[in-house]
Amino acid sequence: MAPRALDYESLNENVKKVQYAIIFTNVGNPHALGQKPLTFPRQVVALCQAPFLLDDPNVGLLFPADAIAKAKHYLALTTGGLGWSVEGAYSDSRGMPGVRKEVADFIERRDGYPSDPELIFLTDGASKGVMQILNTIIRGESDGVLVPVPQYPLYSAAISLFGGSLVPYYLEETENWGLDVNNLRQSVAQARYKGITVKAMVIINPGNPTGQCLSEANLREILRFCYQENLALLGDEVYQQNIYQDERPFISARKVLMGMGPPMSKEVQLVSFHTVSKGYWGECGQRGGYFEMTNIPPKTVDEIYKVASVSLSPNVPAQIFMGLMVNPLKPGDISYEQFIRESKGILESLRRRARMMTDGFNSCKNVICNFTEGAMYSFPQIRLPPKAMEAAKKAGKVPDVFYCLKLLEATGISTVPGSGFGQKEGYMENYSSHFSPFVSEGGFAPPPILFFCGVFHLRTTILPAEEEMPEIMASFKKFNDEFMEQYDDRGGYSRL
Amino acid sequence: MAPRALDYESLNENVKKVQYAIIFTNVGNPHALGQKPLTFPRQVVALCQAPFLLDDPNVGLLFPADAIAKAKHYLALTTGGLGWSVEGAYSDSRGMPGVRKEVADFIERRDGYPSDPELIFLTDGASKGVMQILNTIIRGESDGVLVPVPQYPLYSAAISLFGGSLVPYYLEETENWGLDVNNLRQSVAQARYKGITVKAMVIINPGNPTGQCLSEANLREILRFCYQENLALLGDEVYQQNIYQDERPFISARKVLMGMGPPMSKEVQLVSFHTVSKGYWGECGQRGGYFEMTNIPPKTVDEIYKVASVSLSPNVPAQIFMGLMVNPLKPGDISYEQFIRESKGILESLRRRARMMTDGFNSCKNVICNFTEGAMYSFPQIRLPPKAMEAAKKAGKVPDVFYCLKLLEATGISTVPGSGFGQKEGYMENYSSHFSPFVSEGGFAPPPILFFCGVFHLRTTILPAEEEMPEIMASFKKFNDEFMEQYDDRGGYSRL
């Protein structure tokens, strides 16, 4: 019998090519690891879901007056002023105009340059926005997109799905995962040699999984490079609130671009992404995000609007979260103190955890780890002694899988080994081989681990509860150092 | 200068080819037109958003005990039992296992055949599910999908976006928009002649925009046809709760398929879609839906899971709405009476409105309208006298645009003219020319109107408030009959 439409052999090849690890612990999912949501936005969205509460004389017993006022504000933004229906009706496919205006105001306050709400689209999480923009750009396999390696797998997956070509550029671990524009030039030259038209470049700032924060000077070089090479820049800035050092505060690609003046500020096409899922919000399950377009012609904006409208509208509760995120409480508001206490508490704890994790890794034998300057991940390098490699070979395992399995057995810390792809070649090929057997078993959610290339790496989130962190790191160190001792070969690499 | 990546001329051609009217009044959006949300589910979801309320001694003053119990139920479904985090954490990319189980139980109760939660994926609205399945099936332009004409434009838009070919099959207006399997055979034969492999068939039951309900016998013919022609069937069943006649209650494609027994029940690949946006729920803005897969091999399910995981997870609040929808209150529950009063009130009113609208159209000169058996739309045929066509020509307008503009001017009722595409040829070509200037002006949201082909049609939703309906229909009739009188030519068609 002929294969049926939904038999595996009949499927869209681009779907099959997508490499994405179905690893639940592979994502930064703060609330699943114990981070409590901020109280105020939850109060506001609860009232928007149940606006009849506003007519209840007892509402003031459960909700503070500023949450009630904010809920009324968002309920009034709905089409036709049908307050009680705001969350139940499709919004404009770009998101509610009132919220997009709040986003534009936020961007203007942040960057010091005006932003146009008509060029801001709300999305069901930043990922959906990234996918829509890549789908708009990519025409076929000869269209390339520059993506940092190591990268967040959304980019490789989406580029495969849309049938384009990923053009890797390599972050320099010894330069604290910095980006060297010469590497970019090389990547573009190699891609062109293969007949690929490089159309766009992705930056993730702060970096995922690498945690570095780009400097203004570096961003300027990147933008100049995009100008020279005629590339659109996709700025994944979802971790802009997650900064754990003071030397390089977050600066948006848009601010840097505007500061460069014409012709660049008028020419370079930039799409910037943000989300309610990260920062001290961590509202992953709500699926709220936005993208802002700079120097994108109106006809293209219309096309993007058209495609967005096919799936009607982004979910409305998350649009309200976005409004609340970009327009936070101010001193004097009733809930302000609580809001600051909660949000500062989360960020300061993350900063301490970033430090604990980096220091923990660096105290281990044969482990080197750059400090997590931002985002939510630690990305240590682990060097295996030759004897460990031999033992792995004997066990029929590639060395890093061997290490990760041993770690899992000894400590219960789930690690996600992927093998056989060099840092500079074939990185994408083996992504889907990552698998965590640990995911669905509930209980303690261990730090997820990724690695790549001949040099062995792990990605762990810094999200486990702060009070559990010393134990996790002690457990890791005990395993690692015993492992290194066991396979030590003339003292191992740590003495070299 | 070379065009930049996001200049119009550089964009993905499939994106440009998408035809989708950005017409806000073109969609069934009950809450935007005045339908109040059901109280109970809103109470539950509000508590899930603000679970700290459950610790407040006053919670019982604002929420009934069964809403509190239901909220606790959903809060307990989250990974690791971190109740307060349920809406803030990414769920499994397929949706929360507990909710998928509730959906499976609902399907089993409805159809009398067991359903497997592992084959049910929750989605951000049914549209996203439809798009994902079409993306999985379509490999390129030689892959065709049978779509009813008239159709809901999601299908044409998604097929364009994924680079496939739409193969139209025509519903018979004189047979109450029934589906003749001979037409299907003809459509498939024509497509094959053009070198297209027809891979799947879409049915919309109840019909959108045509409102017909498929009979069990008709569904059996369709399934047999899919079996013979090796087509996957996509069953858009989002209006299954919207039934306004008693002769043909909703019956799912899955139930009919299972009843046919092997080999068909084991062979025909079926994906069925449902939503929280329609029925008496109308929770469009929440973006909740699911699809259920029948006879889809595990390897394909894995591929669909993989691609779903690229955008992490469907939004969690809407997952809870879905759970509540498929697992409604039972007699004896505290909120049961209110729930029944509200839901019956909505459905009975919709039934009356369907009748008022059909009768209203049929009382008009040169207008014929099939009864809206289900869904949310009325789809009258309007026959223009030759003199009206001439007047339109003189005014430089195609006749139907001419009619619609006159209607708008005279009554304020927004109509969406699209022209120049015959019912049986070129239907898709002009979809995007529809445009309603009325949308953003708030206030009374007029019934949106679509039409197609040499025979002129309108689509209107039956959603305007019941108390406004007589006035709307009177206003329409006054305009129409005067229009027909004005352009009457030997008495017009109505006397023929």
Side-chain angles (χ1 to χ4, degrees), chain A residues 59-73:
Chain A
V59 68
L61 295 175
L62 272 84
F63 294 92
D66 51 0
I68 291 170
K70 251 319 190 206
K72 286 180 178 166
H73 162 73

Side-chain angles (χ1 to χ4, degrees), chain A residues 244 350-360 371-372:
Chain A
Y244 312 122
L350 282 172
R351 185 185 273 239
R352 287 191 298 269
R353 282 180 267 172
R355 176 51 66 197
M356 284 159 82
M357 202 165 239
T358 309
D359 290 351
F371 175 60
T372 299

Side-chain angles (χ1 to χ4, degrees), chain A residues 4 6 18 267 269 300, chain B residues 4 6 267 269 300 306:
Chain A
R4 298 165 299 174
L6 281 155
V18 167
E267 286 291 340
Q269 298 188 319
T300 297
Chain B
R4 297 165 299 174
L6 280 156
E267 284 292 340
Q269 297 187 319
T300 297
K306 180 185 72 180

Side-chain angles (χ1 to χ4, degrees), chain B residues 351-494:
Chain B
R351 185 185 272 240
R352 288 191 298 269
R353 283 179 267 173
R355 177 50 67 195
M356 284 157 83
M357 203 166 239
T358 310
D359 290 350
F361 283 131
N362 282 322
S363 78
C364 295
K365 223 176 166 167
N366 298 354
V367 179
I368 299 169
C369 186
N370 283 323
F371 176 61
T372 299
E373 298 178 341
M376 290 182 173
Y377 311 97
S378 187
F379 200 64
Q381 181 191 121
I382 295 174
R383 301 149 122 196
L384 294 181
K387 265 175 79 180
M389 315 250 249
E390 285 157 31
K393 204 171 179 183
K394 262 186 210 150
K397 305 251 182 289
V398 277
D400 37 25
V401 174
F402 181 72
Y403 178 93
C404 291
L405 284 174
K406 292 275 182 193
L407 176 64
L408 179 65
E409 280 166 27
T411 64
I413 298 175
S414 165
T415 64
V416 191
S419 313
F421 43 104
Q423 178 165 10
K424 306 230 162 181
E425 286 300 330
Y427 175 68
M428 299 312 137
E429 267 57 58
N430 279 297
Y431 228 95
S432 67
S433 66
H434 300 188
F435 180 75
S436 162
F438 224 78
V439 178
S440 49
E441 298 176 23
F444 163 60
I449 299 192
L450 289 192
F451 76 96
F452 68 107
C453 83
V455 185
F456 177 27
H457 286 87
L458 311 175
R459 177 181 108 161
T460 77
T461 76
I462 60 168
L463 295 173
E466 189 173 344
E467 58 275 21
E468 293 171 10
M469 196 67 93
E471 202 190 319
I472 293 169
M473 295 316 294
S475 173
F476 180 87
K477 179 174 170 59
K478 183 166 178 292
F479 160 77
N480 178 79
D481 290 5
E482 284 175 9
F483 179 96
M484 296 300 174
E485 204 62 51
Q486 185 185 347
Y487 296 105
D488 200 357
D489 200 349
R490 292 171 308 192
Y493 286 113
S494 60

Side-chain angles (χ1 to χ4, degrees), chain A residues 146-435:
Chain A
L146 276 164
V147 171
V149 172
Q151 59 117 21
Y152 175 57
L154 162 65
Y155 294 96
S156 50
I159 292 166
S160 293
L161 186 61
F162 302 131
S165 291
L166 187 144
V167 181
Y169 68 90
Y170 302 98
L171 302 177
E172 289 299 329
E173 186 167 18
T174 53
E175 303 294 324
N176 204 23
W177 298 114
L179 187 169
D180 183 337
V181 174
N182 292 322
N183 284 357
L184 284 178
R185 284 189 214 291
Q186 222 167 31
S187 294
V188 169
Q190 278 172 11
R192 289 203 178 128
Y193 183 76
K194 292 182 196 159
I196 290 168
T197 309
V198 184
K199 295 191 72 185
M201 169 175 179
V202 172
I203 54 171
I204 310 176
N205 179 33
N208 174 3
T210 40
Q212 81 288 5
C213 296
L214 293 177
S215 68
E216 188 174 345
N218 208 175
L219 278 164
R220 216 178 284 127
E221 284 184 301
I222 291 165
L223 285 158
R224 197 169 297 119
F225 174 77
C226 288
Y227 179 69
Q228 289 161 348
E229 301 290 342
N230 195 20
L231 307 179
L233 184 65
L234 309 188
D236 179 338
E237 301 179 335
V238 299
Y239 294 102
Q240 61 187 267
Q241 291 177 320
N242 297 95
I243 306 288
Y244 312 122
Q245 41 73 39
D246 301 315
E247 299 77 46
R248 254 167 296 124
F250 172 75
I251 180 165
S252 75
R254 186 161 190 279
K255 179 174 182 164
V256 176
L257 177 60
M258 291 297 110
M260 292 170 87
M264 270 178 278
S265 64
K266 300 274 184 205
E267 286 291 340
V268 175
Q269 298 188 319
L270 169 67
V271 186
S272 309
F273 302 90
H274 200 6
T275 184
V276 303
S277 302
K278 309 299 171 188
Y280 43 85
W281 289 70
E283 291 283 5
C284 299
Q286 312 283 353
R287 314 306 299 118
Y290 76 74
F291 58 85
E292 187 204 18
M293 296 172 277
T294 304
N295 297 325
I296 310 297
K299 273 186 84 173
T300 297
V301 175
D302 290 347
E303 292 296 304
I304 294 170
Y305 186 8
K306 180 184 71 181
V307 172
S309 68
V310 176
S311 42
L312 298 163
S313 82
N315 89 79
V316 175
Q319 296 184 37
I320 295 171
F321 273 102
M322 182 54 84
L324 290 162
M325 183 176 95
V326 295
N327 194 11
L329 287 165
K330 290 171 189 59
D333 291 334
I334 300 163
S335 301
Y336 179 74
E337 295 298 333
Q338 183 190 22
F339 180 78
I340 291 297
R341 196 169 57 246
E342 291 175 350
S343 54
K344 272 185 78 170
I346 292 165
L347 274 188
E348 285 172 1
S349 170
L350 282 172
R351 185 185 273 239
R352 287 191 298 269
R353 282 180 267 172
R355 176 51 66 197
M356 284 159 82
M357 202 165 239
T358 309
D359 290 351
F361 284 131
N362 281 322
S363 78
C364 295
K365 224 179 167 164
N366 297 354
V367 178
I368 299 169
C369 186
N370 283 323
F371 175 60
T372 299
E373 299 178 340
M376 291 181 171
Y377 312 97
S378 187
F379 200 64
Q381 182 191 120
I382 296 173
R383 300 149 123 198
L384 294 181
K387 266 174 78 178
M389 315 248 250
E390 285 157 29
K393 203 173 180 181
K394 260 186 211 150
K397 304 252 184 290
V398 277
D400 37 25
V401 173
F402 181 74
Y403 178 93
C404 290
L405 284 174
K406 292 274 182 195
L407 176 65
L408 179 65
E409 279 166 26
T411 64
I413 297 175
S414 165
T415 64
V416 191
S419 314
F421 43 103
Q423 178 166 11
K424 307 230 164 183
E425 286 300 330
Y427 174 70
M428 299 312 136
E429 266 57 58
N430 279 298
Y431 229 97
S432 65
S433 66
H434 300 188
F435 182 73

